[in-house]
């Protein structure tokens, strides 16, 4: 079965409720009547999620993601948000292991693995992010970094579970820098990721898992990236903050 593309907006620490309401008021009507070939996901900050889901009442084509989650059920974990809380809000995807969480908040492969398992156990689809820094790439460590992040993050997952998650390849040096990996560089990394999944599981699993590219994706480069055989979508930061720009991204094939 062909893999359905998935385009996701990662708003990061942008867009409070008022700004998000204005975004949705423009974005939703611009999508009306358009048969999209991809899944569309928006990941607002936690506090903005209720505004976005309220605007999406009755809309079945746009899904909502969280940008993080706790691996605990509930209790004395100040500042954390649980899967139960996200479920109550209608969230279905959770971004996990973003390089900004790894870099600024000390998330390790083991922590990310624990969160991925919790998200899956409670019925969410993780968007599991991996990617190398510039120094790692220059040192020839791309494959080593990706395979370590993959085997650590996916530890204990069954083949069925891994086939159903979304992986986002986001080279750290391309995030928010305006530097995009060339479509060739991105394709090579995606093909390598699929090779690692095939080794950890089997080729069926590797062929089923959807792999997004992230890092300065814009309306002007999305088409070429999406044309690569192993690129199944995009995880977009900056260019997802404006309704017309995000609309152009989800309509990449028009
Ligand atoms: P930019 O699109 O702003 O480079 O961010 C990419 C990203 O980190 C998405 O998760």
């Amino acid at each position: 079965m062909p893999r359905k593309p998935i385009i996701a907006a990662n708003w990061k620490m942008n867009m409070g409720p008022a700004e998000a309401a204005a975004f949705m008021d423009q974005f939703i009507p611009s999508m009306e009547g358009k048969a999209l070939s991809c899944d569309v996901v928006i990941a607002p900050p936690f506090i903005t999620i209720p505004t976005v889901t309220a605007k999406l009442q009755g809309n079945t084509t746009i899904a909502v993601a969280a940008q993080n989650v706790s691996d605990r059920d509930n209790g004395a974990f100040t500042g954390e948000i649980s899967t139960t809380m996200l479920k109550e809000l209608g969230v279905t995807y959770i971004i996990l292991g973003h390089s900004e969480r790894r870099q600024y908040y000390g998330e390790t492969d083991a922590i990310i693995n624990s969160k991925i398992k919790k998200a899956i156990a409670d019925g969410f689809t993780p968007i599991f992010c991996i990617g190398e820094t510039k120094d790692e790439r220059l040192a020839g460590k791309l494959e080593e970094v990706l395979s370590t992040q993959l085997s650590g993050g996916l530890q204990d997952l069954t083949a069925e579970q891994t086939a159903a998650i979304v992986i986002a390849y986001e080279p750290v040096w391309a995030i928010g820098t305006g530097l995009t990996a060339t479509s060739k560089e991105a394709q090579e990394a995606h093909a390598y990721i699929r090779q690692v999944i095939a080794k950890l599981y089997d080729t069926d699993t590797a062929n089923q898992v959807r792999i997004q590219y992230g890092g300065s994706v814009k309306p002007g480069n999305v088409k070429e990236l999406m044309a690569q055989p192993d690129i199944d979508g995009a995880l977009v930061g900056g260019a997802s903050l404006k309704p017309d720009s995000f609309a152009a991204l989800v309509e990449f094939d028009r």
Side-chain angles (χ1 to χ4, degrees), residues 83 87 114-126 161:
T83 50
K87 189 151 279 182
S114 175
K115 292 181 175 195
I116 288 175
K117 287 193 281 195
K118 178 72 179 149
I120 293 174
D122 292 341
F124 294 85
T125 303
Q161 287 172 331

Side-chain angles (χ1 to χ4, degrees), residues 8-10 12 95 98-100 129 168 170 174-179 214-218 235-240:
N10 177 7
K12 309 191 179 183
I95 297 174
H98 193 281
S99 64
E100 288 147 19
C129 305
E170 299 204 304
I175 295 179
T177 56
L179 293 172
S216 301
V217 177
K218 302 179 269 285
L235 182 56
V236 188
S240 74

Side-chain angles (χ1 to χ4, degrees), residues 6 29 35 61 64 70 72-73 79 85 95 98 122 137 139 142 171 173 180 193:
I6 172 167
T61 59
V64 177
S70 169
R72 312 300 177 100
D73 282 324
M85 297 170 192
I95 297 174
H98 193 281
D122 292 341
R137 179 174 273 261
L142 170 66
W173 48 272
T180 320
I193 291 165

Side-chain angles (χ1 to χ4, degrees), residues 3-6 166-169 183-198 203 205-214 224-234:
R3 298 180 294 267
K4 188 174 187 194
I6 172 167
V166 176
I167 293 173
Y169 168 62
S183 51
K184 184 170 170 280
E185 287 169 330
Q187 166 56 27
E188 281 167 5
H190 282 227
Y192 177 72
I193 291 165
R194 241 179 258 293
Q195 211 178 302
V196 174
I197 304 284
T203 34
T205 307
N207 287 333
Q208 282 175 62
V209 69
R210 294 189 290 179
I211 310 177
Q212 296 177 306
Y213 169 78
E224 192 189 333
L225 287 161
M226 292 299 291
Q228 304 305 312
D230 288 298
I231 299 184
D232 308 314

